[in-house]
Amino acid sequence: MRRLIDKLALTHSLTKEEWISLIADRPEQEYLFAKARRAAQTYYGNAVFIRGLIEFTSYCKNNCFYCGIRRDNRKAARYRLGKEEILDCCRQGYGLGFRTFVLQGGEDAYYTDDLFAGLISEIKSSYPDCAVTLSAGEKPKESYRRFFEAGADRYLLRHETADEAHYRILHPAEMSFASRIRCLTDLKEIGFQTGCGFMVGSPGQTPEHLAEDMLFITELKPDMVGIGPFVPHHNTPFAGEAGGTAEQTVYLLALLRLLKPDLLIPATTALGTVDPDGRERGVLAGANVVMPNLSPVGVRKQYALYDNKICTGDEAAECLSCLKGRMERIGYRIVTGRGDPAKEPGGISCTT
């Protein structure tokens, strides 16, 4: 299997059958992780970028079977952050050194295009050296264009699976696989730094599905890919399903790094939830982003996409200090700055 790992590292492409072979058996893991670390360091040195996560609403119109804030979860605690609350989060984050703010929330019609565009414009006006990332679901192309013109830099939209039949297992009939793919294409065409991603170990997922994910990412050429283990939520239809594992997640993360060495790849909170050392393991397999939470502490437990989410009680400064120590212990360094994708090898060093 080293032959396939070497081929991926050299050509950044595999056939579907080759992907299935690598994914099904997870051979030569330490060899793979070492190659992935070298690939990440070629572009980013030992830098790990921080993103300030602001979870602005736990309302959502969708009814995804895996998600704790799905529309039909009547027991979910709901909240919305107002414009000034979001700006307060940015002010606090800027003072701590954050230069990217990630506004993430459910698909909530309360946040109109006018409100969102005005908020983006104000953040960019107040912090012109910062990047604004949105993660607010599916929108019409003109809405995306308006957000981009207001100053948004990046948009994260997990595709969740590149197999349409598998998509129907995870989502109700009212949601469309074609719509999700269309949104990602629109975002790329508009000019966003675009991020996609998928859950690892989601119900019904097979090595064939994961191979399709890798082929989709090869074709889309995103700037960011976020993957994390599926973690069940007790008030969803998938409450009794087995969760994804840290082992499979970090393995796939390393494959992604070899597939596209300049990717921005987070070591996610979900990975840290299923394994206390999950984020460290992610970085050692090629991840280069972590996202401390800037949301007000009083609402963090209410943004419960899955059970047992970590860091819901930490102040932002505490969380950042903890992550800095964790990264330093494994030989990496948290860096400030926008953390844009490197355009060529050596684009950033560990001292930046």
Side-chain angles (χ1 to χ4, degrees):
M1 287 300 179
R2 286 195 179 193
R3 177 187 64 82
L4 288 182
I5 294 171
D6 289 341
K7 179 184 176 183
L8 179 60
L10 180 65
T11 67
H12 314 302
S13 178
L14 294 176
T15 67
K16 183 175 180 178
E17 291 71 25
E18 288 171 332
W19 278 120
I20 292 170
S21 180
L22 267 184
I23 291 167
D25 295 331
R26 301 210 299 267
E28 301 281 1
Q29 293 191 64
E30 292 308 317
Y31 182 74
L32 171 65
F33 294 157
K35 298 276 279 192
R37 283 195 297 275
R38 284 197 295 274
Q41 289 166 0
T42 297
Y43 280 84
Y44 298 104
N46 280 14
V48 177
F49 300 113
I50 54 170
R51 316 297 202 204
L53 182 62
I54 303 170
E55 296 162 336
F56 63 90
T57 179
S58 66
Y59 285 88
C60 190
K61 71 175 185 180
N62 292 331
N63 219 14
C64 306
F65 299 142
Y66 49 81
C67 184
I69 65 170
R70 65 195 303 265
R71 184 185 66 229
D72 283 359
N73 181 8
R74 306 303 180 192
K75 295 181 180 180
R78 307 289 184 178
Y79 72 91
R80 293 183 176 109
L81 297 184
K83 178 180 175 181
E84 288 305 318
E85 290 177 292
I86 294 171
L87 292 173
D88 281 342
C89 293
C90 293
R91 280 190 285 270
Q92 180 188 19
Y94 193 85
L96 291 170
F98 291 88
R99 296 298 180 265
T100 290
F101 304 119
V102 181
L103 275 59
Q104 177 178 293
E107 294 193 24
D108 183 355
Y110 172 85
Y111 296 89
T112 63
D113 288 1
D114 284 345
L115 191 159
F116 239 124
L119 177 62
I120 294 162
S121 180
E122 189 157 348
I123 294 171
K124 292 293 286 191
S125 176
S126 300
Y127 311 105
D129 56 333
C130 291
V132 172
T133 302
L134 304 179
S135 181
E138 297 181 15
K139 305 281 185 185
K141 187 173 185 178
E142 286 312 306
S143 297
Y144 289 147
R145 191 184 308 279
R146 188 168 177 194
F147 302 156
F148 185 74
E149 291 172 351
D153 302 274
R154 307 173 183 141
Y155 204 103
L156 307 176
L157 181 65
R158 283 190 174 188
H159 64 281
E160 300 301 0
T161 175
D163 182 274
E164 187 166 5
H166 187 219
Y167 187 91
R168 290 197 295 270
I169 291 173
L170 303 177
H171 302 90
E174 68 206 49
M175 296 183 67
S176 162
F177 174 77
S179 175
R180 183 62 57 97
I181 301 306
R182 185 266 306 165
C183 286
L184 284 163
T185 302
D186 287 347
L187 290 162
K188 287 276 291 184
E189 288 178 355
I190 289 167
F192 277 100
Q193 293 178 25
T194 302
C196 63
F198 55 89
M199 292 180 295
V200 177
S202 61
Q205 189 179 71
T206 66
E208 288 78 10
H209 294 148
L210 290 166
E212 290 289 350
D213 287 318
M214 294 301 189
L215 293 172
F216 172 72
I217 290 165
T218 304
E219 181 180 356
L220 182 67
K221 297 180 175 61
D223 301 286
M224 305 164 282
V225 175
I227 68 171
F230 163 66
V231 184
H233 187 285
H234 62 284
N235 283 327
T236 68
F238 290 159
E241 298 284 345
T245 66
E247 287 70 27
Q248 188 180 23
T249 302
V250 296
Y251 183 81
L252 290 165
L253 190 156
L255 293 178
L256 284 169
R257 176 57 68 195
L258 294 186
L259 172 61
K260 196 169 185 295
D262 62 345
L263 276 175
L264 295 163
I265 305 177
T268 63
T269 302
L271 184 53
T273 295
V274 301
D275 182 339
D277 297 321
R279 287 173 293 184
E280 291 93 326
R281 292 177 67 184
V283 170
L284 290 171
N288 61 338
V289 173
V290 291
M291 297 200 290
N293 202 326
L294 291 178
S295 306
V297 173
V299 302
R300 290 188 196 174
K301 292 184 188 298
Q302 297 173 52
Y303 196 78
L305 307 184
Y306 50 83
D307 285 345
N308 303 313
K309 182 179 175 183
I310 60 172
C311 300
T312 57
D314 291 347
E315 295 286 352
E318 287 180 278
C319 192
L320 179 56
S321 176
C322 173
L323 279 172
K324 283 182 176 178
R326 284 174 170 266
M327 295 301 106
E328 287 169 2
R329 282 193 290 274
I330 59 171
Y332 285 76
R333 181 177 176 180
I334 295 287
V335 297
T336 57
R338 287 168 46 107
D340 292 305
K343 291 182 170 53
E344 58 186 20
I348 186 169
S349 73
C350 63
T351 58
T352 298

